[in-house]
Amino acid sequence: MPKHHRHHRGPHGHGRKRARRGAVGRSILTLLAEKPMNGYELMAELDERSGGRWQPSSGSIYPALKRLEQRGFISAATSEDDDKPRYELTDEGRQRLEAFAADGETTPPWEGDVARHGEIRGAMAELMGPARQIGRFGSADQITAATTAIKDTTSKLYQILADGPGEE
Amino acid sequence: MPKHHRHHRGPHGHGRKRARRGAVGRSILTLLAEKPMNGYELMAELDERSGGRWQPSSGSIYPALKRLEQRGFISAATSEDDDKPRYELTDEGRQRLEAFAADGETTPPWEGDVARHGEIRGAMAELMGPARQIGRFGSADQITAATTAIKDTTSKLYQILADGPGEE
DNA sequence: GTGTCGGTATCGATATGTCGCTATATTAAC
DNA sequence: GTTAATATAGCGACATATCGATACCGACAC
């Protein structure tokens, strides 16, 4: 239910709930400079490198790939074994990256305290397991107990958010 | 969003974590008897009717649809506006359903205490909000506090699972 | 300088598949 | 009748794609 609780912050905190314009394209270019990948791999890589802070959806990645290809910055590598379509950087793409670098746009959008920020995601993933079990197979008593525990935690997290703001 | 968490543990002693053989097909037939649907709608419907207790994945639904079609129980309705492919029951499918009914196989797989079982899903959805906020924008202290809270809850849920087994 | 207009990028939801592993149920063997 | 073999169904992860709503940000007016 709570979709709000939005934090507004200064220009350079880590507070983008949405990537800045062009961030997806720049990220894709940066990653493809390392090695050719497909859309799914790009999503996973971005997710991991940002420590889960940024998880671009397929609705961001695939249109972006299409745009980049149309502009000639990347190309779908038509490999012999056609089952794995991989994108790779073209010369124009490399130039584009250099242009960014020359422009001071050196910081990849996924920069930050990666290690710490991933922790919550991991913890949540672990919580999913038993929650799912109880939700699916649990008795009425178990459901009551579990729901209470989860709601308590929700309150606690809101408290944490309210207590110490994330701004530095 | 790619999810690759290889840690899969937890006490699997309670209940079936997997639908019984043939349940997907029977469910599809039952639902299609009401009205034609596509794969995604079937997934959503099953999820809702079971109160989130059973969320068959695309990996269950689409192969099942293919099987059912091959056996002639359903057919992909080739509508005029071809953008929405919908499956509908054939006469053979209707006979198949009657055969199940005659066999005492009247209980749909999604039967149960729907209302109660949905609660945990709702509670978890609510927990997601602040967890995500802290994970993305939180300070180190906030992350520590939140992670601890979540892990405590995980332990609590495992305790609940261990304490009182489901009604098997 | 501030407001707001509009093009377009981002994103969640919608949609459809495939693959490999594992669980389940039927049947065969003992 | 229990156990072992086998077939096949179920499911999570992988993979791709589109659409509508919304958010971003440059640009132009004021």
Side-chain angles (χ1 to χ4, degrees):
Chain A
M1 185 232 205
K3 205 63 211 180
H4 355 79
H5 298 283
R6 12 191 301 87
H7 280 202
H8 244 314
R9 66 219 47 274
H12 289 272
H14 19 255
R16 300 188 296 280
K17 57 168 176 295
R18 194 197 185 89
R20 297 226 300 285
R21 259 175 105 86
V24 171
R26 222 158 46 239
S27 301
I28 290 176
L29 253 29
T30 308
L31 287 183
L32 289 186
E34 295 176 19
K35 61 167 179 154
M37 295 183 190
N38 59 30
Y40 193 82
E41 284 173 303
L42 285 165
M43 281 192 279
E45 200 71 25
L46 254 13
D47 177 13
E48 199 182 333
R49 295 209 192 191
S50 72
R53 209 167 59 232
W54 186 31
Q55 297 164 247
S57 66
S58 60
S60 303
I61 295 295
Y62 292 106
L65 281 173
K66 209 168 280 184
R67 265 178 268 139
L68 290 171
E69 197 184 11
Q70 241 162 9
R71 294 176 191 179
F73 298 137
I74 62 174
S75 70
T78 54
S79 68
E80 326 74 53
D81 28 335
D82 46 62
D83 56 339
K84 294 238 172 177
R86 272 180 151 62
Y87 287 97
E88 56 185 23
L89 221 54
T90 61
D91 289 336
E92 285 93 340
R94 255 176 288 275
Q95 280 168 27
R96 176 88 167 156
L97 260 183
E98 279 168 44
F100 280 136
D103 212 20
E105 208 82 58
T106 42
T107 330
W110 58 77
E111 282 270 297
D113 189 353
V114 167
R116 301 262 22 223
H117 281 84
E119 283 175 28
I120 288 196
R121 240 167 90 66
M124 284 296 286
E126 270 187 71
L127 178 58
M128 287 290 195
R132 214 174 140 79
Q133 284 281 327
I134 298 173
R136 289 172 74 161
F137 316 122
S139 65
D141 282 351
Q142 287 178 307
I143 289 169
T144 304
T147 305
T148 304
I150 294 167
K151 283 189 173 166
D152 284 353
T153 310
T154 306
S155 304
K156 223 175 277 180
L157 292 203
Y158 275 127
Q159 196 56 51
I160 290 168
L161 265 174
D163 280 353
E167 320 278 334
E168 35 269 279
Chain B
M1 163 187 42
K3 23 178 81 169
H4 28 57
H5 38 77
R6 1 212 150 251
H7 50 294
H8 201 197
R9 53 182 156 291
H12 297 355
H14 314 284
R16 323 178 216 343
K17 57 160 173 263
R18 195 194 186 93
R20 296 222 297 288
R21 257 174 106 85
V24 171
R26 222 159 45 239
S27 301
I28 289 176
L29 253 31
T30 308
L31 288 183
L32 289 187
E34 295 176 16
K35 62 168 178 152
M37 293 183 194
N38 59 30
Y40 193 82
E41 283 174 303
L42 285 165
M43 280 192 277
E45 200 71 26
L46 255 11
D47 177 15
E48 197 183 336
R49 295 208 192 192
S50 72
R53 206 171 48 206
W54 185 30
Q55 298 164 253
S57 66
S58 59
S60 304
I61 296 294
Y62 292 106
L65 281 173
K66 209 170 281 185
R67 266 179 265 137
L68 290 170
E69 196 183 13
Q70 240 162 11
R71 292 175 191 179
F73 298 137
I74 62 175
S75 70
T78 54
S79 69
E80 326 75 52
D81 29 338
D82 46 64
D83 57 338
K84 296 236 173 178
R86 273 179 149 64
Y87 287 97
E88 55 184 23
L89 221 55
T90 62
D91 289 337
E92 285 94 340
R94 255 175 288 275
Q95 280 168 26
R96 177 88 166 156
L97 260 183
E98 279 168 43
F100 280 135
D103 211 20
E105 207 82 58
T106 42
T107 330
W110 58 77
E111 282 270 299
D113 190 351
V114 168
R116 301 265 15 230
H117 281 83
E119 285 175 25
I120 287 195
R121 241 164 88 70
M124 283 297 286
E126 269 186 71
L127 179 57
M128 286 292 193
R132 209 173 147 81
Q133 283 281 328
I134 298 173
R136 289 172 73 158
F137 314 129
S139 66
D141 283 352
Q142 287 178 306
I143 291 169
T144 305
T147 307
T148 304
I150 295 166
K151 283 189 174 167
D152 283 354
T153 310
T154 306
S155 304
K156 225 175 275 179
L157 293 203
Y158 275 126
Q159 196 56 49
I160 290 167
L161 266 173
D163 279 353
E167 69 275 35
E168 296 296 317

